[in-house]
């Protein structure tokens, strides 16, 4: 094989220490089965603190609402309940979960399109509702009146923001109400004044582009100004989520990998993927068409740093930094980070069941034999729905954690395809050849790092009656300064048994 095309995961100190705890990880997987999700609740509190520090730097107040949809873990939610975080819930079950974890309704925001049950429980408990459409506002108001409930705090979700002139700069969304229809929406809020109280406006844009978000943020400030002219007193701008995560340790690996993927699509290098999958690229008579349908796995400016950068951008038409714009109006900033708040908060373990060479016919379709004498098919005791990295377009290598301490046979780097445990051709955990420093053996674990954001339990189901992964919460003893000691022993409990009050030394050590 030529130079291996690694995409090594970014592992900060806690995750790196966990991955070095070979016996601990094997004991957990031995006891709880494969696949197994492992979450690190203390890390989510650190991520929250990084977001809060950005608020402080810009002298802004407001809520940081964890977008619960990113992960179902009770431990993560309960750990957040012990901080000043809020919760962004997108279903009635998520709302119940947040309430049960200790979040009072004034720390919860109900977002996304809602059904009657979700609206009722939000209204009954006094949870603020981020209204998705005029119809939803009518339904909420009717429900409040019918059940004689107190007025419900509402924010209006807007979309389709424009800069002056006709150039549409922010992305279209199927959610929210077009900014241009604000007038009609405010008439509805006036009509429903006995049932709802307008506290803010907001957006969530499915884009990584700070420029598009700057247009939307400025649009929200202007919308708040309009609301105030109309006699309302909202103060919050909710800028949704989408702050992103940097999955990779080395940006140069990402550049090299994507360049080679492009070359493979053009046919100027051997294929790198299962059955010539091209991740959205195509070769039309020697011209590259399409676009790489992948998450930008290397994002040096992600999470809290992305928020910092966005707030420092000049407002597209008003010119002042966006943070200044908020501050001079005494507006609050709400954020709904999902993926970014669970960065480095979890891993998924999968046991290797079988390692075999691909059949010649499979090889000829899938790989080039000139460069790769050793393509292997590795079958894991997990399926593609358990490890959603590929589904979410995140390309990152798993880490091999051998079963025994005896040295791994020096096979040298290998390219492997990772297949799942379903009796289904399509059940490939990755559709690309993954380069590993050594060949795995049955009984080893492959550890997929940083799966807590959408890639752990978002799509997990019981196809073929394979068990859904269990979840364990893990933590390390802390030194006197409150920081984890590097390679201190790891402790664990089942996710649903984790509560923040329990002293850090009393649960199981594997
Ligand atoms: C309304 C809303 N808020 C927040 C988020 C979280 O986004 P992310 O996980 O990219 O931060 C989403 C994701 O879909 C969303 O729809």
């Amino acid at each position: 094989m030529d130079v291996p095309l690694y995409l090594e995961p970014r592992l900060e100190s806690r995750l790196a220490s966990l991955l070095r705890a070979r016996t601990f990880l094997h004991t957990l997987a031995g006891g709880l089965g494969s696949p197994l999700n492992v979450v690190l609740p203390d890390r989510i509190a650190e991520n929250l603190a990084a977001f809060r520090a950005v608020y402080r730097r810009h002298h802004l107040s407001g809520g940081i609402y964890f977008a619960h949809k990113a992960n179902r873990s009770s431990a993560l939610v309960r750990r957040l309940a012990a901080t000043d975080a809020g919760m962004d819930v997108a279903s009635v079950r998520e709302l119940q979960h947040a309430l049960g974890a200790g979040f009072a309704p004034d720390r919860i925001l109900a977002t996304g399109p809602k059904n009657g049950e979700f609206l009722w429980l939000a209204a009954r408990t006094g949870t603020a509702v981020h209204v998705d459409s005029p119809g939803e506002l009518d339904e909420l108001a009717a429900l409040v009146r019918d059940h004689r409930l107190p007025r419900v705090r509402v924010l209006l979700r807007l979309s389709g923001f424009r800069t002056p002139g006709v150039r549409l700069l922010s992305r279209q969304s199927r959610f929210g109400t077009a900014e241009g229809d604000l007038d009609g929406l405010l008439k509805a809020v006036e009509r429903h004044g006995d049932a709802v109280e307008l506290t803010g406006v907001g957006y969530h844009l499915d884009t990584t582009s700070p420029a598009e978000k700057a247009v939307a943020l400025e649009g929200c400030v202007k919308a708040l100004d309009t609301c105030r002219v109309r006699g309302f007193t909202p103060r919050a701008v909710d800028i949704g989520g989408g702050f992103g995560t940097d999955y990779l340790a080395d940006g140069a690996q990402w550049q090299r990998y994507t360049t080679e993927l492009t070359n493979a699509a053009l046919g100027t290098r051997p294929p790198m993927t299962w059955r010539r999958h091209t991740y959205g690229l195509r070769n039309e008579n020697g011209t590259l068409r399409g676009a790489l349908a992948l998450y930008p796995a290397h994002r040096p400016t992600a999470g809290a740093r992305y928020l910092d950068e966005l707030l420092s951008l000049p407002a597209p038409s008003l010119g002042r930094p966006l943070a200044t714009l908020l501050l001079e109006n005494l507006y609050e900033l709400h954020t709904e980070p999902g993926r970014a708040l669970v960065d480095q908060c979890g891993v998924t373990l999968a046991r290797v069941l079988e390692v075999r060479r691909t059949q010649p016919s499979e090889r000829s379709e899938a790989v080039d034999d000139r460069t790769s004498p050793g393509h292997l098919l590795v079958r894991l005791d997990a399926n593609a729905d358990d490890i959603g990295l590929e589904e979410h377009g995140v390309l990152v290598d798993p880490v091999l954690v051998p079963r025994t301490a005896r040295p791994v046979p020096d096979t040298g780097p290998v390219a492997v395809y990772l297949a799942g445990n379903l009796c289904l051709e399509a059940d490939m955990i990755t559709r690309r050849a993954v380069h590993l420093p050594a060949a795995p053996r049955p009984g080893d674990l492959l550890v997929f790092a940083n799966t807590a954001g959408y890639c752990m339990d978002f799509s997990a189901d019981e196809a073929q009656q394979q068990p859904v992964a269990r979840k364990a919460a893990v933590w390390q003893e802390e030194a006197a300064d409150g920081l984890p000691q590097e390679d201190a022993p790891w402790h664990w409990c089942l996710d649903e048994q984790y509560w923040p009050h329990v002293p850090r030394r009393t649960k199981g050590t594997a």
Side-chain angles (χ1 to χ4, degrees), residues 258-276:
T258 46
T259 303
E260 291 303 321
L261 211 50
T262 308
N263 292 338
L266 277 173
T268 57
R269 65 146 285 145
M272 301 156 63
T273 53
W274 186 251
R275 305 209 164 137
R276 296 175 190 271

PDB file of all heavy atoms in Angstrom, residues 258-276:
ATOM      1  N   THR A 258      -9.369  14.159   0.905  1.00  0.00           N
ATOM      2  CA  THR A 258     -10.421  14.661  -0.001  1.00  0.00           C
ATOM      3  C   THR A 258      -9.858  14.887  -1.408  1.00  0.00           C
ATOM      4  O   THR A 258     -10.566  14.692  -2.398  1.00  0.00           O
ATOM      5  CB  THR A 258     -11.079  15.948   0.554  1.00  0.00           C
ATOM      6  OG1 THR A 258     -10.066  16.832   1.009  1.00  0.00           O
ATOM      7  CG2 THR A 258     -12.011  15.641   1.703  1.00  0.00           C
ATOM      8  N   THR A 259      -8.591  15.243  -1.489  1.00  0.00           N
ATOM      9  CA  THR A 259      -7.975  15.382  -2.819  1.00  0.00           C
ATOM     10  C   THR A 259      -7.970  14.022  -3.516  1.00  0.00           C
ATOM     11  O   THR A 259      -8.336  13.891  -4.687  1.00  0.00           O
ATOM     12  CB  THR A 259      -6.520  15.909  -2.682  1.00  0.00           C
ATOM     13  OG1 THR A 259      -6.575  17.133  -1.987  1.00  0.00           O
ATOM     14  CG2 THR A 259      -5.860  16.104  -4.034  1.00  0.00           C
ATOM     15  N   GLU A 260      -7.575  12.986  -2.761  1.00  0.00           N
ATOM     16  CA  GLU A 260      -7.519  11.646  -3.363  1.00  0.00           C
ATOM     17  C   GLU A 260      -8.920  11.131  -3.715  1.00  0.00           C
ATOM     18  O   GLU A 260      -9.099  10.447  -4.725  1.00  0.00           O
ATOM     19  CB  GLU A 260      -6.815  10.668  -2.415  1.00  0.00           C
ATOM     20  CG  GLU A 260      -5.334  10.929  -2.238  1.00  0.00           C
ATOM     21  CD  GLU A 260      -4.567  10.913  -3.571  1.00  0.00           C
ATOM     22  OE1 GLU A 260      -4.869  10.079  -4.433  1.00  0.00           O
ATOM     23  OE2 GLU A 260      -3.671  11.765  -3.746  1.00  0.00           O
ATOM     24  N   LEU A 261      -9.907  11.511  -2.912  1.00  0.00           N
ATOM     25  CA  LEU A 261     -11.286  11.112  -3.202  1.00  0.00           C
ATOM     26  C   LEU A 261     -11.734  11.735  -4.526  1.00  0.00           C
ATOM     27  O   LEU A 261     -12.406  11.097  -5.347  1.00  0.00           O
ATOM     28  CB  LEU A 261     -12.185  11.596  -2.058  1.00  0.00           C
ATOM     29  CG  LEU A 261     -13.433  10.816  -1.687  1.00  0.00           C
ATOM     30  CD1 LEU A 261     -13.139   9.338  -1.495  1.00  0.00           C
ATOM     31  CD2 LEU A 261     -14.042  11.401  -0.412  1.00  0.00           C
ATOM     32  N   THR A 262     -11.345  12.963  -4.710  1.00  0.00           N
ATOM     33  CA  THR A 262     -11.669  13.669  -5.950  1.00  0.00           C
ATOM     34  C   THR A 262     -10.955  12.985  -7.125  1.00  0.00           C
ATOM     35  O   THR A 262     -11.555  12.750  -8.182  1.00  0.00           O
ATOM     36  CB  THR A 262     -11.205  15.146  -5.833  1.00  0.00           C
ATOM     37  OG1 THR A 262     -11.735  15.673  -4.642  1.00  0.00           O
ATOM     38  CG2 THR A 262     -11.669  15.969  -7.001  1.00  0.00           C
ATOM     39  N   ASN A 263      -9.683  12.651  -6.930  1.00  0.00           N
ATOM     40  CA  ASN A 263      -8.933  11.972  -7.993  1.00  0.00           C
ATOM     41  C   ASN A 263      -9.565  10.624  -8.316  1.00  0.00           C
ATOM     42  O   ASN A 263      -9.640  10.227  -9.491  1.00  0.00           O
ATOM     43  CB  ASN A 263      -7.469  11.766  -7.580  1.00  0.00           C
ATOM     44  CG  ASN A 263      -6.726  13.082  -7.494  1.00  0.00           C
ATOM     45  OD1 ASN A 263      -7.156  14.065  -8.106  1.00  0.00           O
ATOM     46  ND2 ASN A 263      -5.644  13.125  -6.742  1.00  0.00           N
ATOM     47  N   ALA A 264     -10.039   9.937  -7.272  1.00  0.00           N
ATOM     48  CA  ALA A 264     -10.668   8.631  -7.498  1.00  0.00           C
ATOM     49  C   ALA A 264     -11.946   8.802  -8.313  1.00  0.00           C
ATOM     50  O   ALA A 264     -12.234   8.005  -9.219  1.00  0.00           O
ATOM     51  CB  ALA A 264     -10.963   7.956  -6.160  1.00  0.00           C
ATOM     52  N   ALA A 265     -12.710   9.849  -8.006  1.00  0.00           N
ATOM     53  CA  ALA A 265     -13.956  10.081  -8.759  1.00  0.00           C
ATOM     54  C   ALA A 265     -13.635  10.387 -10.215  1.00  0.00           C
ATOM     55  O   ALA A 265     -14.369  10.005 -11.127  1.00  0.00           O
ATOM     56  CB  ALA A 265     -14.742  11.226  -8.129  1.00  0.00           C
ATOM     57  N   LEU A 266     -12.497  11.051 -10.442  1.00  0.00           N
ATOM     58  CA  LEU A 266     -12.091  11.380 -11.820  1.00  0.00           C
ATOM     59  C   LEU A 266     -11.439  10.198 -12.524  1.00  0.00           C
ATOM     60  O   LEU A 266     -11.171  10.251 -13.723  1.00  0.00           O
ATOM     61  CB  LEU A 266     -11.092  12.548 -11.792  1.00  0.00           C
ATOM     62  CG  LEU A 266     -11.695  13.950 -11.710  1.00  0.00           C
ATOM     63  CD1 LEU A 266     -10.592  14.982 -11.512  1.00  0.00           C
ATOM     64  CD2 LEU A 266     -12.498  14.271 -12.968  1.00  0.00           C
ATOM     65  N   GLY A 267     -11.130   9.168 -11.741  1.00  0.00           N
ATOM     66  CA  GLY A 267     -10.486   7.987 -12.326  1.00  0.00           C
ATOM     67  C   GLY A 267      -8.992   8.134 -12.487  1.00  0.00           C
ATOM     68  O   GLY A 267      -8.345   7.327 -13.158  1.00  0.00           O
ATOM     69  N   THR A 268      -8.403   9.142 -11.860  1.00  0.00           N
ATOM     70  CA  THR A 268      -6.953   9.312 -11.983  1.00  0.00           C
ATOM     71  C   THR A 268      -6.194   8.622 -10.858  1.00  0.00           C
ATOM     72  O   THR A 268      -4.978   8.746 -10.755  1.00  0.00           O
ATOM     73  CB  THR A 268      -6.562  10.809 -12.014  1.00  0.00           C
ATOM     74  OG1 THR A 268      -7.067  11.418 -10.820  1.00  0.00           O
ATOM     75  CG2 THR A 268      -7.141  11.508 -13.227  1.00  0.00           C
ATOM     76  N   ARG A 269      -6.905   7.947  -9.985  1.00  0.00           N
ATOM     77  CA  ARG A 269      -6.253   7.071  -8.997  1.00  0.00           C
ATOM     78  C   ARG A 269      -7.229   5.916  -8.733  1.00  0.00           C
ATOM     79  O   ARG A 269      -8.421   6.004  -9.051  1.00  0.00           O
ATOM     80  CB  ARG A 269      -5.900   7.821  -7.707  1.00  0.00           C
ATOM     81  CG  ARG A 269      -7.058   8.322  -6.908  1.00  0.00           C
ATOM     82  CD  ARG A 269      -6.768   8.274  -5.425  1.00  0.00           C
ATOM     83  NE  ARG A 269      -6.843   6.904  -4.936  1.00  0.00           N
ATOM     84  CZ  ARG A 269      -6.079   6.403  -3.988  1.00  0.00           C
ATOM     85  NH1 ARG A 269      -5.174   7.150  -3.404  1.00  0.00           N
ATOM     86  NH2 ARG A 269      -6.231   5.145  -3.584  1.00  0.00           N
ATOM     87  N   PRO A 270      -6.734   4.842  -8.148  1.00  0.00           N
ATOM     88  CA  PRO A 270      -7.615   3.695  -7.901  1.00  0.00           C
ATOM     89  C   PRO A 270      -8.752   4.069  -6.945  1.00  0.00           C
ATOM     90  O   PRO A 270      -8.606   4.974  -6.128  1.00  0.00           O
ATOM     91  CB  PRO A 270      -6.689   2.676  -7.242  1.00  0.00           C
ATOM     92  CG  PRO A 270      -5.311   3.110  -7.576  1.00  0.00           C
ATOM     93  CD  PRO A 270      -5.340   4.572  -7.754  1.00  0.00           C
ATOM     94  N   PRO A 271      -9.880   3.361  -7.059  1.00  0.00           N
ATOM     95  CA  PRO A 271     -11.004   3.641  -6.156  1.00  0.00           C
ATOM     96  C   PRO A 271     -10.606   3.475  -4.694  1.00  0.00           C
ATOM     97  O   PRO A 271      -9.721   2.692  -4.363  1.00  0.00           O
ATOM     98  CB  PRO A 271     -12.055   2.601  -6.544  1.00  0.00           C
ATOM     99  CG  PRO A 271     -11.651   2.090  -7.868  1.00  0.00           C
ATOM    100  CD  PRO A 271     -10.169   2.259  -7.987  1.00  0.00           C
ATOM    101  N   MET A 272     -11.269   4.218  -3.831  1.00  0.00           N
ATOM    102  CA  MET A 272     -10.974   4.167  -2.395  1.00  0.00           C
ATOM    103  C   MET A 272     -12.197   3.720  -1.624  1.00  0.00           C
ATOM    104  O   MET A 272     -12.203   3.774  -0.389  1.00  0.00           O
ATOM    105  CB  MET A 272     -10.608   5.575  -1.886  1.00  0.00           C
ATOM    106  CG  MET A 272      -9.416   6.185  -2.567  1.00  0.00           C
ATOM    107  SD  MET A 272      -9.474   7.993  -2.450  1.00  0.00           S
ATOM    108  CE  MET A 272      -9.373   8.240  -0.688  1.00  0.00           C
ATOM    109  N   THR A 273     -13.229   3.332  -2.334  1.00  0.00           N
ATOM    110  CA  THR A 273     -14.507   3.106  -1.663  1.00  0.00           C
ATOM    111  C   THR A 273     -15.145   1.798  -2.106  1.00  0.00           C
ATOM    112  O   THR A 273     -14.814   1.245  -3.160  1.00  0.00           O
ATOM    113  CB  THR A 273     -15.481   4.256  -1.993  1.00  0.00           C
ATOM    114  OG1 THR A 273     -15.539   4.392  -3.402  1.00  0.00           O
ATOM    115  CG2 THR A 273     -15.054   5.547  -1.344  1.00  0.00           C
ATOM    116  N   TRP A 274     -16.084   1.369  -1.292  1.00  0.00           N
ATOM    117  CA  TRP A 274     -16.830   0.139  -1.549  1.00  0.00           C
ATOM    118  C   TRP A 274     -17.739   0.345  -2.758  1.00  0.00           C
ATOM    119  O   TRP A 274     -18.530   1.281  -2.783  1.00  0.00           O
ATOM    120  CB  TRP A 274     -17.646  -0.190  -0.303  1.00  0.00           C
ATOM    121  CG  TRP A 274     -18.369  -1.505  -0.332  1.00  0.00           C
ATOM    122  CD1 TRP A 274     -19.707  -1.684  -0.442  1.00  0.00           C
ATOM    123  CD2 TRP A 274     -17.784  -2.796  -0.211  1.00  0.00           C
ATOM    124  NE1 TRP A 274     -20.000  -3.023  -0.400  1.00  0.00           N
ATOM    125  CE2 TRP A 274     -18.830  -3.738  -0.252  1.00  0.00           C
ATOM    126  CE3 TRP A 274     -16.467  -3.257  -0.069  1.00  0.00           C
ATOM    127  CZ2 TRP A 274     -18.608  -5.105  -0.158  1.00  0.00           C
ATOM    128  CZ3 TRP A 274     -16.259  -4.613   0.023  1.00  0.00           C
ATOM    129  CH2 TRP A 274     -17.319  -5.524  -0.021  1.00  0.00           C
ATOM    130  N   ARG A 275     -17.598  -0.505  -3.725  1.00  0.00           N
ATOM    131  CA  ARG A 275     -18.420  -0.436  -4.941  1.00  0.00           C
ATOM    132  C   ARG A 275     -18.419   0.954  -5.564  1.00  0.00           C
ATOM    133  O   ARG A 275     -19.439   1.478  -5.973  1.00  0.00           O
ATOM    134  CB  ARG A 275     -19.822  -0.926  -4.667  1.00  0.00           C
ATOM    135  CG  ARG A 275     -19.750  -2.327  -4.075  1.00  0.00           C
ATOM    136  CD  ARG A 275     -20.910  -3.215  -4.346  1.00  0.00           C
ATOM    137  NE  ARG A 275     -20.471  -4.583  -4.038  1.00  0.00           N
ATOM    138  CZ  ARG A 275     -21.190  -5.473  -3.379  1.00  0.00           C
ATOM    139  NH1 ARG A 275     -22.397  -5.170  -2.980  1.00  0.00           N
ATOM    140  NH2 ARG A 275     -20.724  -6.667  -3.161  1.00  0.00           N
ATOM    141  N   ARG A 276     -17.255   1.545  -5.543  1.00  0.00           N
ATOM    142  CA  ARG A 276     -17.020   2.830  -6.211  1.00  0.00           C
ATOM    143  C   ARG A 276     -17.977   3.936  -5.780  1.00  0.00           C
ATOM    144  O   ARG A 276     -18.355   4.799  -6.569  1.00  0.00           O
ATOM    145  CB  ARG A 276     -17.071   2.672  -7.746  1.00  0.00           C
ATOM    146  CG  ARG A 276     -15.966   1.789  -8.278  1.00  0.00           C
ATOM    147  CD  ARG A 276     -16.115   1.555  -9.773  1.00  0.00           C
ATOM    148  NE  ARG A 276     -15.187   0.532 -10.220  1.00  0.00           N
ATOM    149  CZ  ARG A 276     -13.950   0.773 -10.628  1.00  0.00           C
ATOM    150  NH1 ARG A 276     -13.507   2.010 -10.647  1.00  0.00           N
ATOM    151  NH2 ARG A 276     -13.176  -0.225 -11.015  1.00  0.00           N
TER     152      ARG A 276
END
